[in-house]
Amino acid sequence: MSTLVSDQVQHLLIQERTLLADVQALLTRSGAPLEAQAHARQALSALDETFLLVVVGEFNAGKSSFMNALLGQSVLPEGVTPTTDRIYVLVNGPKAGELQPTKDPFVSRLEWPLPGLEGVALVDTPGTNAIIRQHQVLTEGFLPRADLVLFLTSADRPFTESERQFLSLAARWGRAVIMVVNKADLLETSEQREQVREHVEKGARGVLGLNPPIFLVSARGEQRGGDAGFAELRESLIRRLSETERTRLKLQGPLGTAAELLQGEASRTQAARETLSADLDILKDLEEQRVRHGETMQGELDGQLNRVARLLSEFEMRADKFIDQKLRFSNVRGLLNGRELEEQFRTEAVAELPEAIDRQFSQMIDRFVEVNLHFWEDVQAFLIRRQPSQDVGQTRFSYDRTALLEGIGGSAREHLETTTEQQLARDLSRDAEDAMKGMIGGLAGGMGLGVGIGALVGASALDFTGGILAGLTLGSLGLFVLPNKRLSAHRQLRARIDELREVLERIVRREYEREQERADTRLRDAISPYTRFTAQEEERLSAAETSLQELQGRLQELRGQVAALPAEEAGGAATDALSAPAGPVSGA
C-alpha cells in the first residue's frame, strides 16, 4: 500500500465527514423533520461501521432460503409464511448462532462463522409486502444504511409493482443494487429465462436509470448440489466485496444519503418559499384592505359633512327669512321688545337645529362604528380563509406562521368582542364636544360638561341674536337706517354660519382622522409580529438556499472524486481506513 494512495482516500474521508456534518447542521438549523436529521447522523456514523450487504425482497421471494444457500449452511429459518419479523445482522464470529440484542429492539446481531465475509455484515430484512406493516417499515427504514443491496425477486412473479416501488426507494437513497431472480428452476426453457431477464432488466432500468447486474439463481438447486446462476453471483460478489470496491461503495453510500436529504430540504425550502410568497400576498392584501377602509371612511366623512352643511343651510334660510320679516317698518311693535325678538328667533330660525345636529352626530357615530366593525370582520374572515391547510408539513415554519395568523385573527376577534358601539359613541361624542367647546370658546361659555353637540350648536346660533340682532330694537335705531341694518344682518349671518360650518367640519374631520389612525394602529399592531416573521423567514430561506447550493456543489464534486478513484488506490487504503472485521453496526 503506497502512502500516496492512503493519503488520497483519507483526504476524501475527511471531506465527506465534513460535508455530512455540514448537512446535519443545515437540517438542524432549518428545523427539518427529526427523521431526516436522524438519517444525517446515521450517514456520518456509517463511515465507521462494518460494510452492510443488505438483502431485500418480498416475503415469498425466498430470501431466507437464498441466504442459507449463499452461506452454504442453514443459518436462518425458512417457511411459507413471513418468518423474518426483525432485521438480522449476520457478522463473522466463532460462536455459531449466538443472538445478541442491540440498541434497536427490532435489530438483532447474529454471530456465525462466515469464512470469506470478514469485514462484511450480511443483513436479512423482513418481506417488503408482508401483511404486517411493521415489517415493511423496518426494511424501508434500514435501507439508507445499506452499502450494497441484493434485491431479490421471484421467477414466478418477477418485478411486481410493490417491488418497483421499493426499488425506487433504493434509487432515491442512491444505493448500489444487484438484481437477483430466485426460483429460476421454475423456468423450463432458455426462452422463458431470457423473457424474465428482459422483463426485470427493463423494469429496473426504468427505476434506476441504468442496467444493474441481474442474476437468475435457484436457492433450492444450490442447496441440492449446486446452481450455475449461484456460481456467477458468487464470483460477482467476490469482486464487489473486495477491499477495492468495498471502499468505493462505503464512500458512495453516505453521499447518496446526503443527496436525498439535500433534495428533501430543497423541496421543503421551495415549499416554504411558496408559502412565504403567499404570506407576502396576505400582507399586501391586508394593506389594500386598510387603504380601501380609509377610502370608505373618507366617503363616509364627506357624506356626513354634506348632511351637516345641509342642516346649517336650512338654518341660514330660516334666519334670512326671519331677518327679512322682522326688520321691517311693518313690524314696529315687535322691534320695541328685544327679549321677545330673541325668543322669536329661537323659535322660528333656530327651531330644531340642536336636535337635528344631535341626531346627525348620533347617526354619524352609528355609521362610523358600523363601517369600522365591518372592516375588522373582513380582516378576520380574510385570515380564516388564508389559514394553512392541514396537510402542510409540520415544521417550525408552518407552526410559527399558523400561530401568527391566528394571532392576527385573534386581535380582530378581540376587537369585535370588546369594542361596543356605546363605548365608541361615548368616546367620539366626548371628543367632539371637547373639540367644539375649544373651537367656539366663549360661545359656549357657562355650559356644563356632558351637554350634547346640538346644544353647543344651538348656543352658538342663539348668540347670533347678540351679534346680529343687537341694537336692532326700535329704541336704538332710526327707522330710516332699518334697510341698511337688515342688509348688514344678512352679511353677518352668513359670516357666522360659515364660521360655524368651518368649526363643525374641523371637528368631524379631526375625529374621523383620529379614529382612522386608531384603526390603522390596531391593524399595524396586530400584524407587526407577522410582518417581522416574514422578514425573518425571507432572511432564513435566503441563507438556507445559499447553503443548499454550496453543499450540493461540494457533494457533486466529492461524488466525482470517489467515482474516479483508481481500483488500486481505492483498495489500498480499505484495510486501514474502513475495513473492520469486528467493527460496529449502528443499532447492532
Side-chain angles (χ1 to χ4, degrees), residues 305-323:
L305 290 175
N306 288 336
R307 284 185 279 275
V308 171
R310 186 170 63 249
L311 291 175
L312 293 179
S313 296
E314 293 171 354
F315 164 65
E316 182 179 1
M317 292 175 61
R318 293 193 300 272
D320 279 337
K321 182 179 179 181
F322 179 86
I323 292 173

Side-chain angles (χ1 to χ4, degrees), residues 67 75 79 266 300 314 409 413 449 511 558 565:
M67 292 187 65
V75 179
E300 288 292 326
E314 293 171 354
R413 286 193 299 272
L449 292 176
E511 296 308 317
L558 192 53
L565 272 177

Side-chain angles (χ1 to χ4, degrees), residues 522-536:
R522 282 193 293 268
L523 181 59
R524 285 194 297 268
D525 290 345
I527 69 174
S528 59
Y530 191 44
T531 303
R532 289 194 298 270
F533 168 75
T534 54
Q536 292 168 357

Side-chain angles (χ1 to χ4, degrees), residues 75-372:
V75 179
L76 299 171
E78 302 178 24
V80 295
T81 59
T83 54
T84 304
D85 61 354
R86 62 183 55 246
I87 293 172
Y88 290 98
V89 180
L90 279 70
V91 296
N92 182 53
K95 299 179 180 179
E98 181 174 338
L99 199 61
Q100 303 169 354
T102 69
K103 291 182 294 183
D104 189 332
F106 296 103
V107 178
S108 294
R109 180 185 177 99
L110 181 61
E111 189 173 298
W112 203 277
L114 302 174
L117 288 180
E118 293 84 1
V120 176
L122 187 62
V123 182
D124 184 25
T125 60
T128 58
N129 66 335
I131 58 175
I132 304 175
R133 176 59 185 165
Q134 178 64 24
H135 292 185
Q136 175 103 2
V137 173
L138 286 174
T139 302
E140 291 180 353
F142 202 86
L143 184 61
R145 301 167 61 177
D147 295 304
L148 177 62
V149 175
L150 287 181
F151 194 95
L152 254 68
T153 185
S154 178
D156 57 351
R157 292 198 319 144
F159 207 72
T160 64
E161 175 59 23
S162 63
E163 289 175 330
R164 186 197 67 78
Q165 293 176 3
F166 191 83
L167 188 61
S168 67
L169 186 62
R172 275 179 46 202
W173 290 108
R175 273 9 194 200
V177 176
I178 294 177
M179 301 294 297
V180 179
V181 181
N182 194 17
K183 304 181 184 180
D185 53 308
L186 299 178
L187 305 174
E188 299 178 353
T189 66
S190 59
E191 289 79 6
Q192 290 177 334
R193 295 173 66 89
E194 189 59 29
Q195 287 177 0
V196 169
R197 180 187 296 276
E198 290 178 357
H199 175 71
V200 173
E201 183 179 271
K202 180 179 179 181
R205 183 171 59 248
V207 174
L208 301 175
L210 50 83
N211 291 328
I214 299 176
F215 297 91
L216 274 65
V217 305
S218 171
R220 182 169 56 181
E222 177 69 10
Q223 290 172 327
R224 291 179 178 178
D227 176 74
F230 246 99
E232 294 178 7
L233 175 61
R234 277 199 176 90
E235 290 180 7
S236 177
L237 286 177
I238 290 174
R239 291 192 300 271
R240 298 297 293 270
L241 296 180
S242 67
E243 290 186 356
T244 297
E245 286 304 306
R246 286 212 312 268
T247 300
R248 193 189 311 277
L249 290 171
K250 197 65 178 173
L251 287 169
Q252 289 175 340
L255 294 180
T257 299
E260 171 64 13
L261 294 176
L262 289 177
Q263 180 57 45
E265 184 60 26
S267 297
R268 287 188 293 272
T269 300
Q270 178 60 31
R273 170 68 68 187
E274 293 172 358
T275 301
L276 183 62
S277 177
D279 291 342
L280 294 175
D281 288 341
I282 289 178
L283 294 175
K284 180 181 178 182
D285 289 341
L286 287 174
E287 176 61 20
E288 291 176 352
Q289 288 190 50
R290 186 194 67 78
V291 172
R292 286 195 299 271
H293 177 60
E295 294 172 349
T296 300
M297 294 302 294
Q298 186 61 47
E300 288 292 326
L301 171 60
D302 294 338
Q304 299 296 345
L305 290 175
N306 288 336
R307 284 185 279 275
V308 171
R310 186 170 63 249
L311 291 175
L312 293 179
S313 296
E314 293 171 354
F315 164 65
E316 182 179 1
M317 292 175 61
R318 293 193 300 272
D320 279 337
K321 182 179 179 181
F322 179 86
I323 292 173
D324 287 339
Q325 288 179 345
K326 300 303 181 182
L327 300 186
R328 291 184 176 276
F329 292 117
S330 58
N331 189 35
V332 172
R333 185 179 298 276
L335 293 176
L336 293 174
N337 190 335
R339 186 176 296 277
E340 181 180 351
L341 187 65
E342 179 180 336
E343 184 61 31
Q344 290 174 347
F345 185 83
R346 180 196 302 274
T347 303
E348 299 177 23
V350 176
E352 295 184 354
L353 178 62
E355 292 79 4
I357 289 291
D358 276 337
R359 285 195 300 271
Q360 184 55 49
F361 266 78
S362 178
Q363 293 172 6
M364 182 187 310
I365 292 171
D366 291 345
R367 182 56 183 160
F368 174 83
V369 171
E370 179 184 4
V371 173
N372 198 31

